[in-house]
Amino acid sequence: QCLLSGSWRSDAGCRMVVSVLGKDGSFSGSYLPGPAAGNFEILTSPLEGSQQDAGLVLQPTFSFTVHWRLREASWTTVFLGQCYVGTNGEETLHTLWLLREAAHSASEDWKGTR
């Protein structure tokens, strides 16, 4: 069974901690980026999400949003993925993400999404 509660580390060194997992599948916690953040000073940022009922599905899907705490910029990232349980019982998360940076004007909107 795959449950998101606990601490997770990505291949890039990012760390996600899910501290509250509700009975309805909702969860909250914090996210801290790894070295890939570059020159930005990024503080531990709050996250909120939802997981498919792990009692019904062994390898549930999930999504969560991170509202970054930055001094220099305004970012929001959404993650969408699935939790897999390997033959050895180890849980692994596979995700896709989309980052949105606040644009200064509508004409610069095109460069706000990565």
Side-chain angles (χ1 to χ4, degrees):
Q1 184 174 349
C2 211
L3 294 174
L4 290 178
S5 59
S7 182
W8 299 87
R9 185 171 303 278
S10 76
D11 294 339
C14 301
R15 188 165 160 243
M16 174 176 82
V17 177
V18 176
S19 53
V20 177
L21 184 59
K23 291 182 182 184
D24 63 351
S26 63
F27 62 89
S28 61
S30 58
Y31 195 91
L32 184 61
N39 295 330
F40 289 95
E41 182 182 349
I42 303 177
L43 307 172
T44 299
S45 301
L47 67 84
E48 291 189 32
S50 179
Q51 177 181 349
Q52 189 178 13
D53 188 343
L56 299 175
V57 180
L58 281 177
Q59 301 181 123
T61 60
F62 61 89
S63 64
F64 64 93
T65 303
V66 176
H67 297 286
W68 298 100
R69 294 181 60 215
L70 300 154
R71 297 195 194 287
E72 312 83 8
S74 176
W75 295 349
T76 298
T77 303
V78 292
F79 293 81
L80 178 66
Q82 187 168 357
C83 185
Y84 293 98
V85 180
T87 55
N88 61 357
E90 184 176 319
E91 299 169 334
T92 305
L93 305 181
H94 288 232
T95 63
L96 297 173
W97 57 270
L98 187 63
L99 181 141
R100 178 65 191 202
E101 182 176 358
H104 296 292
S105 67
S107 64
E108 294 182 356
D109 185 65
W110 64 272
K111 65 180 179 179
T113 303
R114 298 180 212 172

PDB file of all heavy atoms in Angstrom, residues 2 5 12 14-15 18-19 28 33 46 50 58 61 65 68 72 74 80 92 94 99 109-112:
ATOM      1  N   CYS A   2       0.512   2.211  -0.792  1.00  0.00           N
ATOM      2  CA  CYS A   2       1.316   3.406  -0.965  1.00  0.00           C
ATOM      3  C   CYS A   2       0.665   4.589  -0.250  1.00  0.00           C
ATOM      4  O   CYS A   2      -0.416   5.024  -0.623  1.00  0.00           O
ATOM      5  CB  CYS A   2       1.435   3.694  -2.456  1.00  0.00           C
ATOM      6  SG  CYS A   2       2.964   4.487  -2.922  1.00  0.00           S
ATOM      7  N   SER A   5       2.345   9.916   3.458  1.00  0.00           N
ATOM      8  CA  SER A   5       2.842  10.505   4.705  1.00  0.00           C
ATOM      9  C   SER A   5       4.306  10.127   4.917  1.00  0.00           C
ATOM     10  O   SER A   5       4.732   9.027   4.604  1.00  0.00           O
ATOM     11  CB  SER A   5       1.990  10.056   5.888  1.00  0.00           C
ATOM     12  OG  SER A   5       2.002   8.653   5.999  1.00  0.00           O
ATOM     13  N   ALA A  12      16.875  14.953  -7.823  1.00  0.00           N
ATOM     14  CA  ALA A  12      17.561  16.246  -7.892  1.00  0.00           C
ATOM     15  C   ALA A  12      17.889  16.816  -6.508  1.00  0.00           C
ATOM     16  O   ALA A  12      18.391  17.917  -6.389  1.00  0.00           O
ATOM     17  CB  ALA A  12      16.703  17.241  -8.658  1.00  0.00           C
ATOM     18  N   CYS A  14      15.628  17.477  -4.046  1.00  0.00           N
ATOM     19  CA  CYS A  14      14.506  18.174  -3.411  1.00  0.00           C
ATOM     20  C   CYS A  14      13.927  17.279  -2.321  1.00  0.00           C
ATOM     21  O   CYS A  14      14.008  16.062  -2.394  1.00  0.00           O
ATOM     22  CB  CYS A  14      13.414  18.480  -4.433  1.00  0.00           C
ATOM     23  SG  CYS A  14      13.969  19.504  -5.796  1.00  0.00           S
ATOM     24  N   ARG A  15      13.307  17.901  -1.330  1.00  0.00           N
ATOM     25  CA  ARG A  15      12.731  17.129  -0.223  1.00  0.00           C
ATOM     26  C   ARG A  15      11.297  17.567   0.025  1.00  0.00           C
ATOM     27  O   ARG A  15      11.009  18.755   0.102  1.00  0.00           O
ATOM     28  CB  ARG A  15      13.567  17.334   1.035  1.00  0.00           C
ATOM     29  CG  ARG A  15      13.155  16.424   2.140  1.00  0.00           C
ATOM     30  CD  ARG A  15      14.218  16.382   3.240  1.00  0.00           C
ATOM     31  NE  ARG A  15      13.575  15.896   4.429  1.00  0.00           N
ATOM     32  CZ  ARG A  15      13.442  16.569   5.552  1.00  0.00           C
ATOM     33  NH1 ARG A  15      13.960  17.759   5.660  1.00  0.00           N
ATOM     34  NH2 ARG A  15      12.830  16.054   6.572  1.00  0.00           N
ATOM     35  N   VAL A  18       5.388  15.178   4.007  1.00  0.00           N
ATOM     36  CA  VAL A  18       3.931  15.174   4.160  1.00  0.00           C
ATOM     37  C   VAL A  18       3.652  14.906   5.625  1.00  0.00           C
ATOM     38  O   VAL A  18       3.897  13.815   6.127  1.00  0.00           O
ATOM     39  CB  VAL A  18       3.271  14.110   3.256  1.00  0.00           C
ATOM     40  CG1 VAL A  18       1.778  14.049   3.505  1.00  0.00           C
ATOM     41  CG2 VAL A  18       3.566  14.420   1.791  1.00  0.00           C
ATOM     42  N   SER A  19       3.184  15.936   6.315  1.00  0.00           N
ATOM     43  CA  SER A  19       2.999  15.831   7.758  1.00  0.00           C
ATOM     44  C   SER A  19       1.569  15.495   8.157  1.00  0.00           C
ATOM     45  O   SER A  19       1.341  14.917   9.210  1.00  0.00           O
ATOM     46  CB  SER A  19       3.438  17.125   8.440  1.00  0.00           C
ATOM     47  OG  SER A  19       2.779  18.227   7.853  1.00  0.00           O
ATOM     48  N   SER A  28      -1.052  17.789   3.575  1.00  0.00           N
ATOM     49  CA  SER A  28      -0.306  19.039   3.600  1.00  0.00           C
ATOM     50  C   SER A  28       1.074  18.754   4.151  1.00  0.00           C
ATOM     51  O   SER A  28       1.334  17.704   4.732  1.00  0.00           O
ATOM     52  CB  SER A  28      -1.020  20.096   4.441  1.00  0.00           C
ATOM     53  OG  SER A  28      -1.149  19.660   5.768  1.00  0.00           O
ATOM     54  N   PRO A  33      13.503  22.794  -2.054  1.00  0.00           N
ATOM     55  CA  PRO A  33      14.215  22.428  -3.274  1.00  0.00           C
ATOM     56  C   PRO A  33      15.669  22.086  -2.997  1.00  0.00           C
ATOM     57  O   PRO A  33      16.224  22.467  -1.971  1.00  0.00           O
ATOM     58  CB  PRO A  33      14.102  23.673  -4.145  1.00  0.00           C
ATOM     59  CG  PRO A  33      13.959  24.778  -3.176  1.00  0.00           C
ATOM     60  CD  PRO A  33      13.213  24.214  -1.998  1.00  0.00           C
ATOM     61  N   PRO A  46       5.175  25.821   1.787  1.00  0.00           N
ATOM     62  CA  PRO A  46       4.038  24.958   2.103  1.00  0.00           C
ATOM     63  C   PRO A  46       3.508  24.240   0.862  1.00  0.00           C
ATOM     64  O   PRO A  46       3.592  24.757  -0.243  1.00  0.00           O
ATOM     65  CB  PRO A  46       2.996  25.929   2.654  1.00  0.00           C
ATOM     66  CG  PRO A  46       3.338  27.236   2.028  1.00  0.00           C
ATOM     67  CD  PRO A  46       4.830  27.238   1.850  1.00  0.00           C
ATOM     68  N   SER A  50      -3.864  16.186  -2.699  1.00  0.00           N
ATOM     69  CA  SER A  50      -4.874  15.156  -2.543  1.00  0.00           C
ATOM     70  C   SER A  50      -4.360  13.863  -3.167  1.00  0.00           C
ATOM     71  O   SER A  50      -3.726  13.884  -4.223  1.00  0.00           O
ATOM     72  CB  SER A  50      -6.159  15.602  -3.232  1.00  0.00           C
ATOM     73  OG  SER A  50      -7.154  14.618  -3.113  1.00  0.00           O
ATOM     74  N   LEU A  58      -3.888   0.099  -5.014  1.00  0.00           N
ATOM     75  CA  LEU A  58      -2.556  -0.119  -4.444  1.00  0.00           C
ATOM     76  C   LEU A  58      -1.554   0.961  -4.836  1.00  0.00           C
ATOM     77  O   LEU A  58      -0.664   1.292  -4.071  1.00  0.00           O
ATOM     78  CB  LEU A  58      -2.013  -1.477  -4.885  1.00  0.00           C
ATOM     79  CG  LEU A  58      -2.554  -2.687  -4.142  1.00  0.00           C
ATOM     80  CD1 LEU A  58      -1.977  -3.971  -4.731  1.00  0.00           C
ATOM     81  CD2 LEU A  58      -2.253  -2.591  -2.664  1.00  0.00           C
ATOM     82  N   THR A  61      -2.939   7.631  -7.567  1.00  0.00           N
ATOM     83  CA  THR A  61      -2.512   8.893  -8.161  1.00  0.00           C
ATOM     84  C   THR A  61      -2.635   9.991  -7.110  1.00  0.00           C
ATOM     85  O   THR A  61      -3.334   9.834  -6.111  1.00  0.00           O
ATOM     86  CB  THR A  61      -3.370   9.248  -9.387  1.00  0.00           C
ATOM     87  OG1 THR A  61      -4.728   9.361  -8.986  1.00  0.00           O
ATOM     88  CG2 THR A  61      -3.218   8.204 -10.483  1.00  0.00           C
ATOM     89  N   THR A  65       0.162  21.141  -4.781  1.00  0.00           N
ATOM     90  CA  THR A  65       0.587  22.476  -5.186  1.00  0.00           C
ATOM     91  C   THR A  65       1.571  23.021  -4.164  1.00  0.00           C
ATOM     92  O   THR A  65       1.366  22.874  -2.964  1.00  0.00           O
ATOM     93  CB  THR A  65      -0.632  23.426  -5.260  1.00  0.00           C
ATOM     94  OG1 THR A  65      -1.582  22.861  -6.169  1.00  0.00           O
ATOM     95  CG2 THR A  65      -0.242  24.803  -5.727  1.00  0.00           C
ATOM     96  N   TRP A  68       5.724  28.742  -3.532  1.00  0.00           N
ATOM     97  CA  TRP A  68       7.110  28.984  -3.136  1.00  0.00           C
ATOM     98  C   TRP A  68       7.259  30.244  -2.305  1.00  0.00           C
ATOM     99  O   TRP A  68       6.655  31.268  -2.597  1.00  0.00           O
ATOM    100  CB  TRP A  68       7.997  29.094  -4.376  1.00  0.00           C
ATOM    101  CG  TRP A  68       7.997  27.831  -5.163  1.00  0.00           C
ATOM    102  CD1 TRP A  68       7.281  27.575  -6.297  1.00  0.00           C
ATOM    103  CD2 TRP A  68       8.706  26.640  -4.861  1.00  0.00           C
ATOM    104  NE1 TRP A  68       7.517  26.303  -6.720  1.00  0.00           N
ATOM    105  CE2 TRP A  68       8.385  25.701  -5.864  1.00  0.00           C
ATOM    106  CE3 TRP A  68       9.588  26.268  -3.844  1.00  0.00           C
ATOM    107  CZ2 TRP A  68       8.915  24.418  -5.876  1.00  0.00           C
ATOM    108  CZ3 TRP A  68      10.115  24.994  -3.866  1.00  0.00           C
ATOM    109  CH2 TRP A  68       9.789  24.087  -4.862  1.00  0.00           C
ATOM    110  N   GLU A  72      12.859  36.908  -4.188  1.00  0.00           N
ATOM    111  CA  GLU A  72      13.024  37.606  -5.462  1.00  0.00           C
ATOM    112  C   GLU A  72      11.888  37.421  -6.454  1.00  0.00           C
ATOM    113  O   GLU A  72      11.831  38.127  -7.446  1.00  0.00           O
ATOM    114  CB  GLU A  72      14.294  37.117  -6.187  1.00  0.00           C
ATOM    115  CG  GLU A  72      15.538  37.042  -5.375  1.00  0.00           C
ATOM    116  CD  GLU A  72      15.663  35.761  -4.560  1.00  0.00           C
ATOM    117  OE1 GLU A  72      14.860  34.829  -4.705  1.00  0.00           O
ATOM    118  OE2 GLU A  72      16.561  35.711  -3.728  1.00  0.00           O
ATOM    119  N   SER A  74       7.768  35.303  -7.528  1.00  0.00           N
ATOM    120  CA  SER A  74       6.532  34.667  -7.098  1.00  0.00           C
ATOM    121  C   SER A  74       6.280  33.449  -7.989  1.00  0.00           C
ATOM    122  O   SER A  74       6.056  33.600  -9.191  1.00  0.00           O
ATOM    123  CB  SER A  74       5.376  35.662  -7.225  1.00  0.00           C
ATOM    124  OG  SER A  74       4.171  35.042  -6.899  1.00  0.00           O
ATOM    125  N   LEU A  80       1.739  16.368 -10.452  1.00  0.00           N
ATOM    126  CA  LEU A  80       0.744  15.345 -10.701  1.00  0.00           C
ATOM    127  C   LEU A  80       1.492  14.036 -10.890  1.00  0.00           C
ATOM    128  O   LEU A  80       2.468  13.982 -11.640  1.00  0.00           O
ATOM    129  CB  LEU A  80      -0.045  15.686 -11.970  1.00  0.00           C
ATOM    130  CG  LEU A  80      -1.110  14.713 -12.415  1.00  0.00           C
ATOM    131  CD1 LEU A  80      -2.238  14.661 -11.390  1.00  0.00           C
ATOM    132  CD2 LEU A  80      -1.645  15.118 -13.777  1.00  0.00           C
ATOM    133  N   THR A  92       7.785   4.414  -4.582  1.00  0.00           N
ATOM    134  CA  THR A  92       8.432   5.395  -5.447  1.00  0.00           C
ATOM    135  C   THR A  92       7.371   6.305  -6.032  1.00  0.00           C
ATOM    136  O   THR A  92       6.316   5.840  -6.469  1.00  0.00           O
ATOM    137  CB  THR A  92       9.182   4.707  -6.608  1.00  0.00           C
ATOM    138  OG1 THR A  92      10.102   3.764  -6.075  1.00  0.00           O
ATOM    139  CG2 THR A  92       9.938   5.712  -7.455  1.00  0.00           C
ATOM    140  N   HIS A  94       6.373   8.950  -9.035  1.00  0.00           N
ATOM    141  CA  HIS A  94       6.692   9.439 -10.370  1.00  0.00           C
ATOM    142  C   HIS A  94       5.796  10.643 -10.609  1.00  0.00           C
ATOM    143  O   HIS A  94       4.577  10.538 -10.464  1.00  0.00           O
ATOM    144  CB  HIS A  94       6.414   8.373 -11.426  1.00  0.00           C
ATOM    145  CG  HIS A  94       7.402   7.254 -11.403  1.00  0.00           C
ATOM    146  ND1 HIS A  94       8.068   6.838 -12.520  1.00  0.00           N
ATOM    147  CD2 HIS A  94       7.834   6.459 -10.399  1.00  0.00           C
ATOM    148  CE1 HIS A  94       8.871   5.838 -12.209  1.00  0.00           C
ATOM    149  NE2 HIS A  94       8.744   5.594 -10.924  1.00  0.00           N
ATOM    150  N   LEU A  99       5.577  24.704 -13.527  1.00  0.00           N
ATOM    151  CA  LEU A  99       5.888  25.862 -12.689  1.00  0.00           C
ATOM    152  C   LEU A  99       5.373  27.127 -13.360  1.00  0.00           C
ATOM    153  O   LEU A  99       5.563  27.319 -14.561  1.00  0.00           O
ATOM    154  CB  LEU A  99       7.401  25.979 -12.481  1.00  0.00           C
ATOM    155  CG  LEU A  99       7.854  27.138 -11.595  1.00  0.00           C
ATOM    156  CD1 LEU A  99       8.994  26.695 -10.709  1.00  0.00           C
ATOM    157  CD2 LEU A  99       8.273  28.342 -12.411  1.00  0.00           C
ATOM    158  N   ASP A 109       3.351  37.146 -20.694  1.00  0.00           N
ATOM    159  CA  ASP A 109       2.707  35.935 -20.210  1.00  0.00           C
ATOM    160  C   ASP A 109       3.335  34.666 -20.757  1.00  0.00           C
ATOM    161  O   ASP A 109       3.461  33.669 -20.062  1.00  0.00           O
ATOM    162  CB  ASP A 109       1.206  35.972 -20.546  1.00  0.00           C
ATOM    163  CG  ASP A 109       0.480  34.791 -19.966  1.00  0.00           C
ATOM    164  OD1 ASP A 109       0.420  34.685 -18.733  1.00  0.00           O
ATOM    165  OD2 ASP A 109      -0.020  33.971 -20.770  1.00  0.00           O
ATOM    166  N   TRP A 110       3.778  34.688 -21.993  1.00  0.00           N
ATOM    167  CA  TRP A 110       4.326  33.519 -22.681  1.00  0.00           C
ATOM    168  C   TRP A 110       5.516  32.904 -21.943  1.00  0.00           C
ATOM    169  O   TRP A 110       5.748  31.707 -22.040  1.00  0.00           O
ATOM    170  CB  TRP A 110       4.729  33.876 -24.112  1.00  0.00           C
ATOM    171  CG  TRP A 110       5.844  34.893 -24.159  1.00  0.00           C
ATOM    172  CD1 TRP A 110       5.714  36.241 -24.154  1.00  0.00           C
ATOM    173  CD2 TRP A 110       7.242  34.620 -24.180  1.00  0.00           C
ATOM    174  NE1 TRP A 110       6.943  36.853 -24.169  1.00  0.00           N
ATOM    175  CE2 TRP A 110       7.911  35.870 -24.188  1.00  0.00           C
ATOM    176  CE3 TRP A 110       8.008  33.478 -24.179  1.00  0.00           C
ATOM    177  CZ2 TRP A 110       9.285  35.986 -24.211  1.00  0.00           C
ATOM    178  CZ3 TRP A 110       9.388  33.587 -24.209  1.00  0.00           C
ATOM    179  CH2 TRP A 110      10.014  34.838 -24.214  1.00  0.00           C
ATOM    180  N   LYS A 111       6.276  33.710 -21.232  1.00  0.00           N
ATOM    181  CA  LYS A 111       7.477  33.173 -20.573  1.00  0.00           C
ATOM    182  C   LYS A 111       7.262  32.845 -19.099  1.00  0.00           C
ATOM    183  O   LYS A 111       8.192  32.518 -18.396  1.00  0.00           O
ATOM    184  CB  LYS A 111       8.657  34.127 -20.741  1.00  0.00           C
ATOM    185  CG  LYS A 111       8.508  35.471 -20.069  1.00  0.00           C
ATOM    186  CD  LYS A 111       9.748  36.303 -20.327  1.00  0.00           C
ATOM    187  CE  LYS A 111       9.635  37.663 -19.683  1.00  0.00           C
ATOM    188  NZ  LYS A 111      10.847  38.456 -19.904  1.00  0.00           N
ATOM    189  N   GLY A 112       5.998  32.871 -18.641  1.00  0.00           N
ATOM    190  CA  GLY A 112       5.715  32.627 -17.231  1.00  0.00           C
ATOM    191  C   GLY A 112       5.574  31.170 -16.844  1.00  0.00           C
ATOM    192  O   GLY A 112       5.597  30.842 -15.669  1.00  0.00           O
TER     193      GLY A 112
END
